[in-house]
């Protein structure tokens, strides 16, 4: 016979769905939420539902924003002739932390992964091609893992005939590494050391 409390189990299960949260941590967090002042728990719940309701993807670059167009796309001091292509919006946060890049971004929304059924049509590649007017350089900053490299090569082949300089960030980012977790200095060096792409 089970003595589990249904609403508490539901909360534990919901928390355990989050990345990096195992069963024990979920239980600990659920207990913490139950014993925190009611106002604080409401604040947490409202932050989750409020964020989901208000935050969306920038219509131009795919970054997270609470408006139609994100603050980076709208900033006239950014260099619109250079676009840095990244896998997802978290990579923009990492790049912005490093503070070196002053161009615009384009979020692909993933990387090519035939095994998972993710082909070019599942990524925001059409949207990228629609932004090339006046663009002099595309920096491919997908992760240096198998999917990230395959995606960079695919985009390079697509963009190269269009007379646009295509560069790839340097491998200061560890091979198989994740842009999001790369420290700022390494990320700066990777951006500074970016190189034109060549046929492999
Ligand atoms: Zn944007």
């Amino acid at each position: 016979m089970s003595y589990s409390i249904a609403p508490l189990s539901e909360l534990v299960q919901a928390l355990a769905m989050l990345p990096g949260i195992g069963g024990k941590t979920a239980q600990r967090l659920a207990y913490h939420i139950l014993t925190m002042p009611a106002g604080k728990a409401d604040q947490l719940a409202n932050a989750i539902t409020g964020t989901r309701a208000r935050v969306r993807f920038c219509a131009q670059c795919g970054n997270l924003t609470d408006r139609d167009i994100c603050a980076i796309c709208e900033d006239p001091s950014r260099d619109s002739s250079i676009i840095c292509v990244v896998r997802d919006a978290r990579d923009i946060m990492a790049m912005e932390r490093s503070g070196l890049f002053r161009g615009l971004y384009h979020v692909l929304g993933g990387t090519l992964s035939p095994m998972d059924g993710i082909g070019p049509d599942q990524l925001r590649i059409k949207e990228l091609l629609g932004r090339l007017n006046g663009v002099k350089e595309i920096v491919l900053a997908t992760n240096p893992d198998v999917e990230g490299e395959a995606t960079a090569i695919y985009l390079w082949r697509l963009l190269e005939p269009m007379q646009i300089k295509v560069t790839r960030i340097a491998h200061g980012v560890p091979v198989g590494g994740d842009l999001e977790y790369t420290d700022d200095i390494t990320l700066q060096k990777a951006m500074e050391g970016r190189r034109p792409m060549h046929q492999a």
Side-chain angles (χ1 to χ4, degrees), residues 7-187:
L8 181 58
S9 303
E10 274 171 36
L11 179 58
V12 171
Q13 276 173 22
L15 290 166
M17 286 191 303
L18 298 170
I21 307 285
K24 273 196 177 152
T25 306
Q27 277 180 7
R28 197 165 50 82
L29 289 174
Y31 181 78
H32 184 78
I33 290 167
L34 275 179
T35 52
M36 76 195 334
K40 291 272 177 207
D42 286 344
Q43 211 178 359
L44 176 64
N46 289 337
I48 293 172
T49 46
T51 304
R52 286 296 304 237
R54 288 199 305 269
V55 176
R56 57 196 124 149
F57 296 107
C58 168
Q60 177 162 281
C61 74
N63 190 15
L64 293 171
T65 178
D66 58 354
R67 294 175 292 182
D68 282 347
I69 301 290
C70 77
I72 294 175
C73 284
E74 284 208 319
D75 183 348
S77 74
R78 310 268 319 198
D79 182 355
S80 60
S81 73
I82 172 166
I83 294 179
C84 177
V85 177
V86 294
R87 180 190 55 182
D88 61 41
R90 288 171 299 177
D91 296 331
I92 296 184
M93 292 179 205
M95 287 289 202
E96 287 297 295
R97 264 203 321 269
S98 81
L100 185 82
F101 183 68
R102 295 300 300 161
L104 299 181
Y105 294 98
H106 190 84
V107 175
L108 289 173
T111 37
L112 291 177
S113 180
M115 300 268 282
D116 304 313
I118 301 174
D121 291 345
Q122 275 71 50
L123 304 179
R124 298 181 66 254
I125 293 176
K126 263 201 318 285
E127 289 85 343
L128 175 64
L129 298 180
R131 294 181 63 192
L132 297 180
N133 201 9
V135 171
K136 295 197 185 84
E137 182 180 350
I138 297 280
V139 186
L140 300 175
T142 49
N143 290 329
D145 52 18
V146 176
E147 287 91 6
E149 287 297 340
T151 308
I153 290 168
Y154 178 87
L155 288 174
W156 172 70
R157 288 194 178 133
L158 202 63
L159 296 164
E160 178 78 349
M162 300 179 186
Q163 312 299 322
I164 292 170
K165 184 175 168 192
V166 182
T167 55
R168 177 90 173 105
I169 53 165
H171 282 284
V173 180
V175 172
D178 203 317
L179 217 60
E180 190 192 346
Y181 302 114
T182 306
D183 69 90
D184 298 356
I185 307 256
T186 308
L187 213 50

